Amino acid sequence: MSTQKISAPKGVSEYVPDRSSSFDFVRQALIQPAKLAGYQLMELPVFEDTQLFTRGVGESTDVVSKEMYTFEDRGGRSITLRPEGTAGVMRAVIEHNLDRGQLPVKVWYSGQFFRAERPQAGRYRQFYQVGIEAIGLDDPAIDAEVIAIADAGFKSLGLTHYRLEITSLGDQESRAAHRVDLLKFIATLDLDEATAQRAAINPLRLFDDKREEMRSAMAQAPLLINYLNEKSRQNFEQVQRYLDALGIAYVVNPRMVRGLDYYTGTTFEFVHDLLGAQSGIGGGGRYDGLMEQLGGQSLSGIGFGIGVDRALLAAEAEGVIGNDSFVSDLFIIPLGESARVQALTIASNLRKQGKTVEIAFGDRGLKGSMKAADKSGAINVIVLGDSEIASGVVELKEMKSGHTSSVKIDSLFEALSI
Ligand code: HAM
């Protein structure tokens, strides 16, 4: 049998101590504003029927055409590891009839997503998102609230070097009018076959083509924002008025193309300045036709996905998050067997009251255990021997100052709370 070390698969992001506590902090901070706005948890499978994504996300997208982890399961079904969260949420809303109850359905989610992209800094094959979806009402105030929730998450982390870009893809009528002129324009271009195919499914995709010759060709293309009908234009202006009222800065970027096909109406991206090529820390928008496309009724929805990996990188780049290792309130060093039993009891009682307590395990002796206490970064330490157990009193030592005080074992909680 081989005893060679096994490495993690290429391009996955993973978090181990000490950085994992920063990751956890960022993830919680990004979710908190959604909880405060009444969004509820949706916990969904990481694999789904492949059709969910081909139908939901769209076959013209890189995500579906090139980046899906698709395999046949043992029952011969085509399964795909979820590349994004919105289609799964919509599937679950329809399946559990949530759209027949109180609207909008407001949910948040958090977890791993999978895209077979070329790995680089900030771009992974397994990455983490937190996201929200508000499904069932088409109201510009919800658009503004959804954007504000993402923004509040970034602000609570202390991020400042980012900008919000917004645009509107309009309603069906606006998009149809634009499509006629865009297709006319595209017909004048000399496209390779793959690009022509992509354009046939979704001509807007060509705005997203990173090749220089395509970028300069598309510079003259008609922009959807100039084709918004009265209703769509008013709707977009209303969203902007709400953002203004909320004091959320934004720039209108009419050339923004999101990487997924379901978007309509308001769409947005948060772009960070210090992350290089992978600068998108979050994005989202409205999706009018998705529910119907997945076999449900015709209800609109809006949401966002934030890349937790990238938000962490952004927080580190801005220096607003330290690489804080885990810090406990108390480190107990038991000397002897009866002290060990006592240490377990003390620790368990203090933990019940919310204190973080560690115990020196193993036979490392006093010197070795003191070293471990030091390394752990614990704020306080006690040594528990026979005499301490007999008297019920310990010497509580504050590690940083070296200051010690005699404390009754029964009063440790109060002493740690000062
Ligand atoms: P998305 O823009 O494809 O949108 O992804 C959202 C965020 O996930 C991105 O802004 C980025 O921060 C992060 N992300 C995407 N791919 C990777 C990757 N390979 N490595 C690291 N981070 C990545 C969606 O997924 C939509 N479902 C968002 C949404 C929700 N729209 C409406 N509702």
Side-chain angles (χ1 to χ4, degrees):
M1 209 212 307
S2 168
T3 52
Q4 262 192 341
K5 280 191 199 158
I6 299 171
S7 307
K10 192 173 169 211
V12 300
S13 69
E14 57 182 2
Y15 298 92
V16 300
D18 293 329
R19 198 165 173 244
S20 52
S21 49
S22 300
F23 174 80
D24 192 36
F25 176 79
V26 168
R27 181 168 48 185
Q28 295 304 332
L30 293 172
I31 291 169
Q32 188 60 11
K35 288 186 183 171
L36 293 175
Y39 285 70
Q40 288 181 287
L41 174 65
M42 197 172 250
E43 196 68 73
L44 297 177
V46 296
F47 59 87
E48 296 268 6
D49 186 329
T50 299
Q51 268 194 60
L52 176 64
F53 304 115
T54 47
R55 258 158 65 186
V57 175
E59 302 202 63
S60 80
T61 63
D62 280 356
V63 169
V64 167
S65 63
K66 299 182 194 158
E67 297 169 359
M68 293 209 298
Y69 282 99
T70 298
F71 57 95
E72 208 170 85
D73 74 2
R74 286 163 195 272
R77 290 166 288 253
S78 181
I79 295 291
T80 293
L81 299 184
R82 61 181 183 188
E84 64 95 51
T86 311
V89 166
M90 199 51 109
R91 193 263 309 141
V93 165
I94 298 168
E95 190 165 343
H96 298 278
N97 294 319
L98 300 185
D99 54 321
R100 311 279 164 187
Q102 170 87 357
L103 296 178
V105 177
K106 298 194 302 185
V107 295
W108 66 269
Y109 50 90
S110 160
Q112 289 94 335
F113 295 84
F114 307 84
R115 295 182 192 176
E117 298 196 75
R118 208 144 36 84
Q120 64 178 90
R123 187 166 71 193
Y124 311 106
R125 292 181 171 173
Q126 175 183 289
F127 58 97
Y128 292 83
Q129 270 188 14
V130 301
I132 71 170
E133 311 293 344
I135 296 165
L137 275 185
D138 191 357
D139 176 347
I142 301 185
D143 299 25
E145 186 182 80
V146 164
I147 292 172
I149 288 170
D151 191 59
F154 294 134
K155 286 209 173 106
S156 78
L157 288 173
L159 296 182
T160 52
H161 288 71
Y162 69 90
R163 66 180 181 278
L164 165 64
E165 297 186 354
I166 61 171
T167 191
S168 172
L169 300 181
D171 61 7
Q172 209 172 3
E173 186 185 82
S174 311
R175 281 194 307 283
H178 173 248
R179 194 185 160 96
V180 172
D181 282 2
L182 182 59
L183 285 175
K184 267 189 216 153
F185 173 82
I186 288 173
T188 66
L189 304 177
D190 183 20
L191 300 179
D192 60 79
E193 205 180 306
T195 312
Q197 256 175 22
R198 227 172 327 129
I201 309 177
N202 181 0
L204 288 176
R205 261 303 120 245
L206 297 202
F207 283 105
D208 204 20
D209 201 313
K210 302 281 185 300
R211 292 172 296 178
E212 201 37 57
E213 66 274 19
M214 281 306 294
R215 282 171 94 113
S216 61
M218 290 303 286
Q220 309 303 323
L223 295 174
L224 175 44
I225 200 136
N226 298 326
Y227 288 76
L228 297 185
N229 60 16
E230 189 56 20
K231 187 166 159 248
S232 294
R233 200 177 50 74
Q234 275 184 15
N235 192 297
F236 188 44
E237 281 170 6
Q238 189 61 38
V239 173
Q240 294 175 64
R241 273 196 288 275
Y242 288 133
L243 291 177
D244 292 338
L246 286 164
I248 296 175
Y250 56 85
V251 284
V252 176
N253 174 6
R255 292 182 166 270
M256 181 201 308
V257 180
R258 303 273 302 126
L260 314 161
D261 269 353
Y262 46 63
Y263 290 111
T264 59
T266 310
T267 49
F268 55 93
E269 269 176 4
F270 289 87
V271 184
H272 198 272
D273 297 332
L274 308 178
L275 292 186
Q278 301 308 315
S279 56
I281 49 175
R286 191 162 272 290
Y287 37 86
D288 283 342
L290 181 61
M291 184 179 261
E292 233 177 340
Q293 225 158 352
L294 296 176
Q297 43 176 334
S298 173
L299 290 178
S300 180
I302 181 165
F304 67 68
I306 295 177
V308 185
D309 314 87
R310 289 187 195 171
L312 172 58
L313 288 171
E316 288 169 344
E318 288 201 37
V320 293
I321 195 165
N323 222 338
D324 289 342
S325 50
F326 168 82
V327 172
S328 50
D329 298 306
L330 180 65
F331 197 94
I332 307 177
I333 301 174
L335 299 176
E337 190 47 38
S338 56
R340 205 174 296 206
V341 178
Q342 190 81 1
L344 287 166
T345 316
I346 295 170
S348 138
N349 285 336
L350 288 171
R351 287 175 194 150
K352 271 186 217 153
Q353 298 174 84
K355 295 295 175 195
T356 321
V357 184
E358 291 181 84
I359 301 173
F361 294 110
D363 289 321
R364 276 182 282 193
L366 185 55
K367 215 168 142 201
S369 299
M370 278 310 271
K371 248 192 202 159
D374 216 20
K375 268 199 177 151
S376 81
I379 300 167
N380 299 286
V381 64
I382 58 170
V383 177
L384 205 58
D386 291 342
S387 64
E388 282 80 9
I389 294 172
S391 65
V393 176
V394 291
E395 290 296 308
L396 181 70
K397 180 176 172 184
E398 208 215 344
M399 297 293 279
K400 225 184 209 163
S401 63
H403 178 261
T404 59
S405 50
S406 298
V407 176
K408 279 197 195 148
I409 291 177
D410 292 344
S411 306
L412 268 171
F413 175 76
E414 288 73 16
L416 293 174
S417 304
I418 293 170

